[in-house]
Amino acid sequence: MKKVTLLTGTAALMAALSAPAFAQTEISAGADATGISAINDRIIDVEDAVQDDFDRDNDDARFGAPDRRQGLFGSVALTYAGSTGNTESQDFSLAGRVSNNAGPWQQSVGMLIEFGEDDNGNKDREDVSTIYDGSYYFNDQFYAFVLGRFTIDGLANGDPDYDGQPDEEIAEKLGDFARDGFIGVGPGYRVINTEATSWRVQAGIGYRYTQTGAQKSGFNLTDEDGDGVFVREDVADSSDSGIGYIVSSRLYHRFNELVFVTNDTDYLSSEDSDDVITNQFGVNFQMSDQLATRISYTTEYQENRPIRTDNTLGVSVVYGF
């Protein structure tokens, strides 16, 4: 099918904010001492967060193979912030991506390292992640994919992150994944591919490896009676690995020039590791060339967690003038 350019909330956001965004970041001398710079940074953070929220619904592979830059290219970004005095905190992030696109074959490798300490100097983040994403498009309806991910959470263990950390927080860390990896391949197919509606599904088989904080530490903490008293229990297994399966669905429907909805669903399963299901439903309103709104509802389910389901309601509104 011929690709169609549609007026979306993301397009309106870009048109409304891209031109004045650079001017808004210029701050005069004296802005640091008066606190203007700190507020300006937060304004930029909010604008970026809204942009990201709209971009989640801007699926460039919605109607077929996306028209992406050809050849080999990439980028690396690093940021660090540390404070002393009334607060003791540090945050470090390193991110990079390398992509190579050659005709119908498109692939990329990404890496992310994040370390952080809160205002009391206690570790609150220690993550290392790598991802791989590859696709081969036979035509606008049929394609093959390869997905790979491996994540390390250095805080998912039985060691307290600071003196006096409550048992319930340590028990929560023991339930998190210290190691979580998956690589899979499979076919994808666009069941519906019209100007108003697109629906693609894909299913793959692969290999999944997980290790909880409890398995890494060799014990778990359980509150059997619900009275706040946690009891240590030894854990024999060191990790779980085996055949994994992933099923995904991406649905888009435009009711008119002002309203469209999306629904993204992913289901990851394996014999020994917890099943993971995510679903995000979004409604986008294009009220005018200057005003766009997105409302989303995200559900994340992980088997065997104390609270298995997390639900998040998101609202993003942008007005440009």
Side-chain angles (χ1 to χ4, degrees):
M1 166 187 169
K2 182 179 179 182
K3 293 185 180 179
V4 180
T5 301
L6 297 175
L7 181 62
T8 66
T10 303
L13 179 69
M14 292 294 291
L17 292 184
S18 59
F22 293 101
Q24 291 170 357
T25 61
E26 294 182 3
I27 297 299
S28 61
D32 291 346
T34 58
I36 294 176
S37 293
I39 297 175
N40 182 70
D41 290 342
R42 287 296 300 132
I43 292 173
I44 295 173
D45 291 342
V46 172
E47 291 174 343
D48 290 343
V50 172
Q51 176 70 69
D52 291 342
D53 200 25
F54 277 89
D55 286 346
R56 290 188 185 96
D57 277 349
N58 187 26
D59 181 5
D60 60 356
R62 180 179 294 153
F63 297 104
D67 185 15
R68 294 175 176 168
R69 174 181 172 182
Q70 296 295 298
L72 180 67
F73 55 94
S75 63
V76 177
L78 180 150
T79 179
Y80 172 81
S83 64
T84 60
N86 292 305
T87 61
E88 302 282 343
S89 65
Q90 293 188 85
D91 289 287
F92 170 84
S93 298
L94 175 64
R97 185 190 302 273
V98 177
S99 301
N100 184 34
N101 301 326
W105 178 242
Q106 300 177 352
Q107 56 184 331
S108 67
V109 178
M111 174 270 298
L112 175 64
I113 300 175
E114 294 181 292
F115 294 94
E117 296 179 351
D118 61 20
D119 290 343
N120 297 316
N122 302 320
K123 292 187 295 184
D124 61 2
R125 182 179 291 272
E126 194 173 305
D127 299 335
V128 178
S129 303
T130 60
I131 57 173
Y132 175 81
D133 180 14
S135 300
Y136 186 90
Y137 293 88
F138 299 98
N139 51 51
D140 284 346
Q141 286 187 292
F142 183 60
Y143 62 94
F145 72 90
V146 182
L147 290 176
R149 176 185 58 83
F150 187 72
T151 301
I152 299 175
D153 183 353
L155 301 185
N157 52 45
D159 300 327
D161 299 326
Y162 56 91
D163 294 338
Q165 185 172 19
D167 286 344
E168 56 267 26
E169 291 187 7
I170 297 178
E172 183 178 349
K173 295 199 311 166
L174 289 168
D176 293 336
F177 285 130
R179 307 284 188 274
D180 187 6
F182 176 80
I183 184 168
V185 299
Y189 185 76
R190 288 177 175 79
V191 181
I192 303 175
N193 200 18
T194 67
E195 294 184 8
T197 307
S198 68
W199 178 37
R200 59 187 172 103
V201 295
Q202 62 184 50
I205 185 173
Y207 180 83
R208 190 180 182 198
Y209 169 85
T210 61
Q211 181 186 53
T212 64
Q215 291 174 324
K216 179 182 178 182
S217 301
F219 69 91
N220 207 346
L221 291 176
T222 58
D223 183 7
E224 297 179 352
D225 299 328
D227 55 2
V229 178
F230 288 81
V231 179
R232 175 169 171 158
E233 296 180 348
D234 292 335
V235 177
D237 294 336
S238 61
S239 63
D240 293 309
S241 61
I243 300 299
Y245 308 90
I246 186 168
V247 179
S248 302
S249 170
R250 295 292 182 269
L251 176 65
Y252 163 92
H253 178 72
R254 173 171 288 278
F255 292 98
N256 50 51
E257 290 300 318
L258 303 179
V259 181
F260 72 89
V261 299
T262 61
N263 194 80
D264 298 344
T265 305
D266 294 304
Y267 172 54
L268 177 62
S269 177
S270 58
E271 295 181 357
D272 297 324
S273 303
D274 292 351
D275 290 354
V276 177
I277 303 173
T278 63
N279 188 86
Q280 184 175 88
F281 176 76
V283 183
N284 294 262
F285 303 91
Q286 178 69 53
M287 275 76 80
S288 67
D289 289 343
Q290 291 79 31
L291 180 62
T293 303
R294 180 178 185 268
I295 301 174
S296 64
Y297 190 79
T298 303
T299 299
E300 298 179 350
Y301 169 90
Q302 181 177 315
E303 188 181 19
N304 295 324
R305 287 192 303 189
I307 301 177
R308 298 186 178 184
T309 304
D310 293 329
N311 301 302
T312 304
L313 174 66
V315 179
S316 296
V317 180
V318 62
Y319 179 74
F321 56 90

